[in-house]
């Protein structure tokens, strides 16, 4: 069974589709019932097999508890909060804000990992992939809150990967850069509005920053994540895979 959090669209949906096409029983987790059911239905029509939907908010303790209660065991965990970036000045962030971002990008994955790894170790099989962001390696201005939470998770995973490897349980983080998703297009649209430019102009400007001369597709990311989730030798000691604009898939 594969549990794909943030699986109703974009990278998460592409990952779920690839896993389903490979024969996995897939459960898509999304924040709203409508999104979860729509994505599950669409995925079943595209890939066939057993596909279920679950409404739960991964970024909250209550949502994580709902996921674990509904699915006490899983063989594959794709931990993807799917929380949009919200740049903010450092001085404007309260302690509550910081705690919220750690809930969204640290505890969101950590709580599920803590819940599922005992069973994976007992069964001597498990695949965990955490979907993060490339600015763990390349911090962005006014995103220190999100960066800190993601970096904390990367550190925890770097230690945990060596504990799990003897039990045939692998854990990796994928750090997408620029990927063609609704989230990226929304961010570029807002940037265009603020600068008084067309979306096309801002998109072209963004693409020029990519060494490959293009942005990655959600399907490319989904294929990569599904490969990590299915491989028996999924880089057990190289836990951060950076994909920046479709140009640099590599281990760091």
């Amino acid at each position: 069974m594969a549990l794909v959090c943030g699986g109703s669209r974009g990278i998460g949906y592409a990952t779920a589709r690839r896993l389903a096409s490979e024969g996995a029983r897939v459960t898509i987790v999304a924040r709203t019932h409508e999104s979860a059911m729509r994505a599950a239905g669409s995925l079943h029509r595209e890939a066939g097999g057993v596909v279920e939907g679950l409404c739960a908010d991964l970024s909250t303790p209550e949502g994580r508890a709902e996921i674990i209660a509904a699915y006490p065991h899983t063989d594959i965990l794709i931990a993807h909060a799917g929380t949009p970036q919200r740049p903010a000045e450092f001085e404007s962030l309260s302690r509550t804000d910081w705690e919220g971002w750690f809930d969204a990008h640290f505890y969101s994955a950590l709580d599920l990992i803590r819940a599922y790894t005992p069973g994976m170790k007992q069964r001597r099989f498990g695949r965990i992939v955490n979907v993060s962001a490339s600015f763990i390696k390349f911090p962005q201005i006014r995103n220190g809150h999100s960066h800190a939470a993601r970096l904390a998770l990367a550190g925890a995973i770097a230690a945990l990967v060596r504990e799990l490897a003897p039990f045939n349980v692998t854990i990796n983080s994928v750090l997408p850069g620029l990927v063609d998703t609704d989230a990226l297009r929304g961010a570029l649209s807002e940037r265009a509005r603020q600068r008084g430019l067309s979306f096309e102009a801002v998109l072209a400007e963004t693409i020029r920053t990519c060494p490959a001369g293009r942005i990655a597709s959600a399907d490319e990311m989904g294929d990569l994540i599904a490969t990590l989730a299915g491989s028996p030798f999924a880089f057990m000691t190289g836990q951060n895979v950076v994909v920046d604009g479709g140009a640099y898939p590599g281990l760091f």
Side-chain angles (χ1 to χ4, degrees):
M1 174 189 163
L3 187 64
V4 183
C5 301
S8 65
R9 60 180 183 170
I11 293 172
Y13 185 82
T15 302
R17 180 170 54 208
R18 172 63 185 272
L19 289 170
S21 70
E22 296 290 337
R25 173 181 174 179
V26 175
T27 294
I28 288 174
V29 181
R31 286 189 177 86
T32 68
H33 179 80
E34 180 184 3
S35 295
M37 296 304 109
R38 182 176 63 246
S42 177
L43 183 59
H44 177 71
R45 290 190 295 273
E46 287 187 60
V50 179
V51 183
E52 299 175 342
L54 175 66
C55 172
D57 186 349
L58 182 63
S59 68
T60 68
E62 297 78 13
R64 296 190 287 274
E66 290 173 5
I67 294 170
I68 296 165
Y71 295 94
H73 308 286
T74 190
D75 302 301
I76 297 171
L77 170 64
I78 310 300
H80 177 34
T83 304
Q85 293 303 115
R86 296 188 182 91
E89 299 294 339
F90 177 80
E91 294 83 356
S92 71
L93 294 166
S94 67
R95 182 184 179 90
T96 299
D97 293 328
W98 282 91
E99 290 172 350
W101 281 99
F102 268 77
D103 245 341
H105 291 304
F106 178 70
Y107 291 112
S108 59
L110 189 69
D111 285 353
L112 295 190
I113 292 169
R114 290 176 64 237
Y116 291 125
T117 50
M120 291 178 173
K121 289 168 65 177
Q122 185 177 30
R123 295 187 299 276
R124 300 193 70 83
F125 181 84
R127 298 291 179 264
I128 301 169
V129 182
N130 174 55
V131 183
S132 186
S134 64
F135 62 70
I136 284 182
K137 298 292 184 180
F138 316 108
Q140 295 180 354
I141 189 170
R142 299 195 302 129
N143 277 287
H145 47 301
S146 179
H147 173 73
R150 295 177 191 269
L151 190 59
L153 180 62
I157 288 174
L160 183 58
V161 66
R162 291 162 179 81
E163 296 181 37
L164 296 177
F167 298 92
N168 191 31
V169 178
T170 66
I171 181 168
N172 292 273
S173 289
V174 173
L175 317 181
L178 295 169
V179 182
D180 191 0
T181 62
D182 291 343
L184 176 64
R185 288 182 174 271
L188 295 183
S189 294
E190 176 60 19
R191 189 181 306 172
R193 185 192 65 80
Q194 292 176 354
R195 296 174 58 190
L197 300 173
S198 69
F199 169 81
E200 290 74 19
V202 173
L203 176 61
E205 180 181 85
T206 301
I207 290 174
R208 285 195 293 272
T209 69
C210 300
R214 66 180 182 88
I215 58 179
S217 71
D219 284 343
E220 286 175 309
M221 294 303 306
D223 288 347
L224 171 62
I225 294 165
T227 298
L228 291 173
S231 171
F233 307 106
F235 308 126
M236 289 184 286
T237 59
Q239 69 281 357
N240 290 324
V241 180
V242 180
V243 180
D244 185 19
Y248 297 121
L251 295 178
F252 287 76

